[in-house]
Amino acid sequence: MSEQAFDVIIIGAGPGGYTMAIRCAQLGMNTAVVEKDAGLGGTCTNVGCIPSKALLHSSELYHTAAHGFTQHGIKVGKIDIDLPAMMAQKQSVVTASNKGIEFLFKKNKITWLKGTGKLLGGGKVDVAGESKGTYAAKHIVIATGSEVTPLKGIEIDEVQVVSSTGALKLPSVPKSMVVIGGGVIGLELGSVWLRLGAEVTVVEFLDRILPTNDGEVSKQMQRILAKQGMKFKLGTKVTATKADKKGVTLTMEPAAGGDKEEVTADVVLVSIGRRPYTTGLGLEAAGVQLDERGRVKTDGHFNTTAPGVYAIGDAIIGPMLAHKADEEGMVLAEMLAGQKPHINYDAIPGVVYTWPEVASVGKTEEELKAAGIAYKTGKFPFTANARARAMTMTDGFVKILEDEKTKKVIGAHIIGADAGHLIQELVMAIEFGASAEDIYRTVHAHPALTEAVKEAALAVDGHTITI
Ligand code: FAD
Ligand code: NAD
């Protein structure tokens, strides 16, 4: 019996895979997506961006109601947490997103092949599961995403020692939590449980949190989070954990070597990074090679080492971000349709959804110094922004970096309320090759947080108005 054939088969329905599938269908390709999970949307929708942002928002509302209203002259009675209701709210957001993608698949006539996909070589994919069978396609796309990086000597049971997945569904607020890894997940999910009442200690191997961010941002963010009650142990590594009824005992020592120390906590979150997920995909038989870090090797145009097989998203080189994956999906769909789209890897924003948010795009000061690029800096604090004062949200600053020679904005770093939205103006500036002057000659509404962006741009040329 001949197998069912498609123009494109995409393995994985995360932001990379589902966006690509929709764009392929819009461009007239007969498209199928293999997905093994019960809900479409991948890590991002099911156990990543969406549930974490739901809990971050709910916990922030609780924290503001409990600690932030008095200053605004609002008196409230006793504030309490209903954790099961908070978790149900989170789940409803996830389910709505799952259903939304399923609706879009039906609307665009995309076939969902339910099960686990494996490359067979020669343009064929085997599916094990509900849609069991062999399927053929002109183009096959690996969009299988990533998984939690384990830590040697530490067993994740998702109850006492959890990954981000377990940390998104704790049944009660722990008294104490140790977070291993002071990166994005550690600070976001650490913030959730800190706001809800846990004592949170972040253990970070390096000498700074958020090590890929601009150094000034890392330092100030640590100060702000410390003021909120988060504790930090930098330059420290955890070598073992032992869980029993009383809690988890962690053994740690200075990263540079030194005396061991033991600490106990109710819950330990392991968040030391994620690694590409390609288990059981049949890569070797299909001629698809991995690079030295386990990522699917691509040539800069999403071609793998096997003809007709492509890869996108967390499974390949680049930042592990949902919007990077979905952009790559869109671009590859258009390339397969014969178009010539582009993707600008210098203009990919990154946002950490702590309070306040951290947002960045382009180069850090450290990167520019290392590359020997001369640059000008413009900085503006939110304490000098009237809208931020009205909101009682004056923590943080906007920093803009402009290339001294080309006069183009090449980096921007924000800590502040709504930084994740504010950064978009600077992403656009980099995409369009704008200068700081282009930004400040653009009229900004008053009173608004965006005026801090304008003032930081003015600061690049040395003439802020309000400081
Ligand atoms: P994924 O979303 O990982 O999807 C891959 C899919 O492939 C999965 O559904 C998997 O089941 C499926 N799959 C794998 N192998 C097979 C197979 N053989 N057969 C069938 N199906 C298969 N990014 C942001 O930009 N913003 C955020 O706020 C953010 N928050 C995050 C919070 C957390 C807690 C985590 C863990 C991640 C977060 N991320 C965030 C990162 C983001 O989730 C990823 O960058 C994004 O999901 C990558 O998309 P992808 O399509 O490459 O892969
Ligand atoms: P990360 O790379 O952001 O941070 C990991 C941290 O752990 C780093 O600071 C690293 O120095 C530290 N570390 C590594 N090994 C360690 C060890 N043995 N002991 C102590 N510390 C150690 O990784 P993450 O926070 O796990 O997130 C994984 C990925 O998910 C990231 O690539 C991120 O882009 C993505 N993500 C994005 C968002 C967002 O965009 N808001 C949110 C969550 C996750």
Side-chain angles (χ1 to χ4, degrees):
M1 197 177 85
S2 72
E3 53 285 290
Q4 196 179 345
F6 296 91
D7 293 322
V8 187
I9 294 179
I10 300 161
I11 308 179
Y18 78 71
T19 305
M20 177 165 184
I22 293 167
R23 191 71 189 117
C24 283
Q26 286 172 345
L27 292 165
M29 289 176 245
N30 182 14
T31 307
V33 178
V34 190
E35 175 54 60
K36 60 183 173 51
D37 283 354
L40 295 173
T43 304
C44 179
T45 304
N46 293 299
V47 289
C49 331
I50 303 303
S52 62
K53 265 79 258 179
L55 284 187
L56 277 156
H57 187 70
S58 300
S59 60
E60 182 55 34
L61 287 178
Y62 164 72
H63 197 260
T64 307
H67 306 285
F69 280 0
T70 336
Q71 207 177 345
H72 293 274
I74 303 166
K75 287 185 181 171
V76 284
K78 190 175 174 295
I79 303 282
D80 226 337
I81 299 165
D82 180 348
L83 194 58
M86 200 180 275
M87 290 293 172
Q89 153 65 13
K90 173 206 72 176
Q91 197 48 47
S92 73
V93 181
V94 171
T95 306
S97 301
N98 294 144
K99 289 206 172 118
I101 301 166
E102 220 173 311
F103 165 79
L104 290 170
F105 271 27
K106 285 195 185 118
K107 180 181 155 199
N108 288 287
K109 300 190 171 48
I110 295 161
T111 303
W112 176 2
L113 298 172
K114 296 184 179 178
T116 303
K118 186 177 167 186
L119 303 175
L120 295 177
K124 293 195 179 141
V125 173
D126 170 73
V127 176
E130 200 178 317
S131 308
K132 185 175 164 41
T134 301
Y135 301 86
K138 262 188 272 179
H139 310 292
I140 295 170
V141 182
I142 298 168
T144 49
S146 59
E147 62 176 350
V148 174
T149 303
L151 184 51
K152 206 171 152 233
I154 292 167
E155 195 199 326
I156 294 177
D157 61 13
E158 297 296 11
V159 180
Q160 285 177 290
V161 182
V162 297
S163 70
S164 52
T165 303
L168 287 167
K169 53 179 188 195
L170 295 181
S172 59
V173 179
K175 267 212 184 72
S176 54
M177 175 183 247
V178 168
V179 173
I180 310 177
V184 198
I185 292 181
L187 298 189
E188 287 188 357
L189 294 180
S191 291
V192 165
W193 296 105
L194 178 77
R195 292 168 190 169
L196 297 180
E199 190 178 287
V200 175
T201 306
V202 175
V203 181
E204 164 60 48
F205 183 79
L206 298 175
D207 60 0
R208 53 182 275 208
I209 59 166
L210 298 175
T212 53
N213 276 75
D214 190 87
E216 194 178 5
V217 167
S218 293
K219 261 198 218 124
Q220 181 144 346
M221 209 46 211
Q222 189 185 333
R223 275 201 296 270
I224 293 171
L225 290 170
K227 258 199 312 189
Q228 294 171 16
M230 198 176 268
K231 297 195 174 84
F232 295 95
K233 268 184 165 302
L234 304 184
T236 304
K237 64 178 176 189
V238 176
T239 50
T241 56
K242 199 166 138 274
D244 59 28
K245 275 188 199 135
K246 278 185 266 157
V248 188
T249 306
L250 297 102
T251 310
M252 50 182 89
E253 61 187 54
D259 291 342
K260 281 192 169 55
E261 163 188 19
E262 281 196 347
V263 171
T264 52
D266 290 340
V267 171
V268 172
L269 164 61
V270 181
S271 50
I272 60 158
R274 293 180 62 83
R275 61 183 186 189
Y277 180 72
T278 52
T279 310
L281 253 186
L283 295 184
E284 208 175 315
V288 176
Q289 288 171 16
L290 299 179
D291 69 13
E292 70 295 342
R293 290 173 59 184
R295 303 172 294 205
V296 177
K297 211 189 251 183
T298 47
D299 65 351
H301 302 281
F302 313 112
N303 294 293
T304 69
T305 46
V309 182
Y310 311 81
I312 57 171
D314 278 13
I316 69 167
I317 194 169
M320 288 185 170
L321 294 170
H323 43 280
K324 178 258 192 189
D326 90 39
E327 201 59 32
E328 289 183 338
M330 287 260 280
V331 164
L332 177 56
E334 290 170 5
M335 282 166 64
L336 295 184
Q339 299 180 6
K340 292 195 165 42
H342 89 292
I343 181 164
N344 182 357
Y345 286 99
D346 290 329
I348 297 184
V351 181
V352 189
Y353 294 87
T354 42
W355 179 259
E357 290 176 356
V358 178
S360 58
V361 61
K363 303 282 184 240
T364 63
E365 288 207 54
E366 289 75 17
E367 285 169 339
L368 292 175
K369 279 179 190 145
I373 297 171
Y375 64 96
K376 281 164 74 183
T377 308
K379 211 176 133 189
F380 191 82
F382 281 104
T383 42
N385 177 279
R387 185 67 184 278
R389 287 198 300 265
M391 295 160 73
T392 59
M393 294 172 180
T394 51
D395 275 340
F397 58 81
V398 178
K399 176 159 84 174
I400 296 177
L401 308 172
E402 186 187 73
D403 189 315
E404 218 170 88
K405 209 158 98 197
T406 65
K407 301 273 174 246
K408 286 182 180 173
V409 173
I410 45 174
H413 307 278
I414 307 177
I415 297 178
D418 233 0
H421 290 138
L422 296 180
I423 198 71
Q424 205 53 41
E425 176 177 0
L426 294 150
V427 176
M428 194 83 111
I430 292 181
E431 181 66 28
F432 289 175
S435 63
E437 184 174 356
D438 290 324
I439 295 172
Y440 68 71
R441 297 272 174 217
T442 304
V443 180
H444 288 66
H446 175 76
L449 297 175
T450 49
E451 287 174 292
V453 175
K454 174 175 175 168
E455 289 278 8
L458 280 162
V460 170
D461 281 346
H463 49 90
T464 56
I465 300 297
T466 58
I467 50 170

